[in-house]
Amino acid sequence: TTTLEDTSYSTTGGGHSFAQPKKSKGGKIEWPIVILRGDGNVYILCAGIDTDRPKLQGPISILPQVDDNYGLDSCSLVVVPSLPPTIIIAESSGKTHHALLLEEESPAERSLTELDSSLVLYPCEWYLQVLETVELELGLAGVDEARTYSCPIHLKRNLLNESRYFAYHNAGLHAVTMDFTRQLVQFVENDDDLNEKYPLFNSQSRAEYVVCTKALPNSSTNSVLGFALLSSPPGILLQLASGQVVTLDLISDHSKIRDWNVAPGGKSSLATDSTLKKMMKDSFQDRIQTILKSGTTQPILKLDQTAEPTPQESFELLTQATKMLREHYFVKHEKARQEIERRVHVLKLLKQQQLSEIDQLQQEKQQIRDTAERLAENYEDICDKQSALFKRAQEVVRLATLRLPKGSFSENKFADMIEKIGNATRQLERNVDQAKQKITAQQVQVEQKQKAQKERIVALPTKQEDIIKQIIGEMYTQIEGCVTDVKKMSSVLNMT
């Protein structure tokens, strides 16, 4: 898509831009060229590569209708390739109109006597639905001439972000962010009903004054002669009439420019909460930041450095800056101070309430402890009484059992048998005890005999001792003789 802004359709000023291509009835691809006249009338010229004679359609109906046809001093036009296409028309008074290019259900023929009689106008297939009008400040806020000053405004589409475009003029540069383009894309891409999530056309677009070249009513303008967009890294390049070249960084991420989280329709659940709950639930830091956040943007001043401002102009500029501080900054700081004091007061009240509740809880805790001790003592007394009653009940049952009448013959026989078994058992126990006593006595006797046998000394009579000694002596003599004979035989046989 190419935007041509400096080409005029007539001598009164205007411009034209290309819209998205479409197929004609013959199957050829044609590009609608949107043409703007200085009186605010918009035409469309459908032309393709091999078109012999393009068809001029218009003027396009602009809805809702107004008396001045949305400005009689229109100066430029640009097409944003959204779905449907967005047409932006700028006036030299500083107003920009945002409209959607929609297809006409029943094209109607219109005549315009101001055009050349040789031109043939065809019924227009589209119409413009104006959504909003954004008014740009042509000078610093507070300057009386800024509301009456007019100059040509040139539009430039941002190729990196379809929701933003730039408007440069003799008083500086504006960056305008449109809120509805991204909502339109999501509305078309998603099949779900997004009316609750994104209420279309419910929020206004935002115009940011980026560079200001006209600060005082009587000062010379430092017009913007050239404007260019840089893609890598994103930025803008301005050439001013004084010869200055201004370069600024550009935010390309759309989420950083505008917060698109729109609250859904219907009543919020927080509407029923009290003011105190809302205050304590919200973050205090976010609350203060919201209060201190400025709703206005201060542009960068780029004045003509070739001429020194007079003391009167300097005083007016200082007065404007002081007024801006008092009206937009000091008021917010005072509101933030009141919010802090209010928060401190609420926290003090909550602290006192919590301290009183803590004292009350301590008293209730002591009461519960005393009650627990009293109940424990009562429980012990009840347990003792219950034990005594249980013993008495057992004794009563035993006595009642003894006083029962005697039973039948079988019961008596069974009782006698039980008694005999008991007597036999007792006799057996006595016999076992006697056997154990005998075994113990026998063990004592055996131990005494073994001990006495170990201590006894065996002594032989004298006569037997002499006989044994005599026998041992004879055996010694015989052994000695045998040894002597063996030695002699060894010496004889040389067996040494």
Side-chain angles (χ1 to χ4, degrees), residues 256-274:
K256 303 297 183 182
I257 301 174
R258 184 77 175 180
D259 186 9
W260 294 100
N261 295 328
V262 182
K267 294 183 179 180
S268 174
S269 59
L270 297 177
T272 58
D273 295 341
S274 63

Side-chain angles (χ1 to χ4, degrees), residues 360-387:
Q360 184 178 359
L361 291 175
Q362 291 290 347
Q363 295 176 1
E364 293 180 357
K365 179 181 178 181
Q366 186 63 32
Q367 293 177 0
I368 293 173
R369 183 177 296 174
D370 297 339
T371 304
E373 292 178 355
R374 186 174 65 256
L375 292 176
E377 293 177 356
N378 295 336
Y379 177 75
E380 292 178 357
D381 296 340
I382 291 172
C383 288
D384 295 340
K385 291 180 180 180
Q386 184 178 4
S387 178

Side-chain angles (χ1 to χ4, degrees), residues 333-479:
H333 282 78
E334 180 65 22
K335 187 176 180 181
R337 185 185 65 81
Q338 295 176 0
E339 183 68 21
I340 293 173
E341 292 179 352
R342 180 185 176 190
R343 184 72 172 225
V344 171
H345 179 67
V346 171
L347 291 177
K348 287 182 178 179
L349 294 178
L350 289 177
K351 181 180 179 181
Q352 294 177 359
Q353 181 181 0
Q354 290 175 355
L355 290 176
S356 62
E357 290 178 354
I358 289 173
D359 295 338
Q360 184 178 359
L361 291 175
Q362 291 290 347
Q363 295 176 1
E364 293 180 357
K365 179 181 178 181
Q366 186 63 32
Q367 293 177 0
I368 293 173
R369 183 177 296 174
D370 297 339
T371 304
E373 292 178 355
R374 186 174 65 256
L375 292 176
E377 293 177 356
N378 295 336
Y379 177 75
E380 292 178 357
D381 296 340
I382 291 172
C383 288
D384 295 340
K385 291 180 180 180
Q386 184 178 4
S387 178
L389 291 174
F390 181 73
K391 291 180 180 179
R392 290 179 61 185
Q394 284 183 340
E395 185 65 19
V396 170
V397 171
R398 188 182 67 81
L399 294 176
T401 304
L402 293 176
R403 295 188 179 185
L404 288 175
K406 295 183 179 179
S408 60
F409 175 76
S410 299
E411 292 177 352
N412 294 332
K413 186 177 180 181
F414 181 74
D416 294 340
M417 185 177 62
I418 294 298
E419 186 177 358
K420 289 180 181 180
I421 293 173
N423 295 332
T425 303
R426 287 191 291 272
Q427 183 63 31
L428 182 60
E429 289 178 354
R430 287 195 295 271
N431 294 336
V432 170
D433 292 338
Q434 291 177 2
K436 288 181 179 180
Q437 292 176 1
K438 290 181 180 180
I439 291 172
T440 303
Q442 290 176 0
Q443 288 179 352
V444 171
Q445 292 177 2
V446 169
E447 290 177 357
Q448 290 177 356
K449 288 181 180 180
Q450 289 178 354
K451 185 177 180 181
Q453 188 175 2
K454 290 180 180 180
E455 294 177 354
R456 187 178 62 180
I457 300 174
V458 180
L460 294 175
T462 305
K463 186 178 180 179
Q464 292 180 356
E465 185 177 356
D466 293 338
I467 293 171
I468 292 172
K469 288 180 179 181
Q470 185 179 359
I471 293 171
I472 292 172
E474 292 177 355
M475 291 176 65
Y476 179 75
T477 303
Q478 291 177 1
I479 292 171

Side-chain angles (χ1 to χ4, degrees), residues 158-174:
N158 187 2
L159 300 179
L160 301 177
N161 188 350
E162 295 181 356
S163 299
R164 180 173 57 188
Y165 67 91
F166 298 93
Y168 62 96
H169 40 78
N170 294 343
L173 171 68
H174 281 83

Side-chain angles (χ1 to χ4, degrees), residues 164-217:
R164 180 173 57 188
Y165 67 91
F166 298 93
Y168 62 96
H169 40 78
N170 294 343
L173 171 68
H174 281 83
V176 182
T177 303
M178 296 180 292
D179 288 355
F180 58 86
T181 54
R182 184 169 177 267
Q183 300 175 14
L184 284 175
V185 172
Q186 293 188 357
F187 183 80
V188 172
E189 291 179 351
N190 297 327
D191 297 333
D192 301 335
D193 187 8
L194 298 180
N195 289 331
E196 295 183 358
K197 185 177 181 181
Y198 293 108
L200 297 179
F201 320 135
N202 194 26
S203 58
Q204 294 291 329
S205 298
R206 181 167 56 95
E208 181 181 0
Y209 206 166
V210 181
V211 178
C212 177
T213 59
K214 182 178 176 58
L216 301 174

Side-chain angles (χ1 to χ4, degrees), residues 98-109:
H98 300 163
L100 295 179
L101 183 62
L102 305 176
E103 293 185 2
E104 186 78 57
E105 295 181 358
S106 56
E109 295 184 0

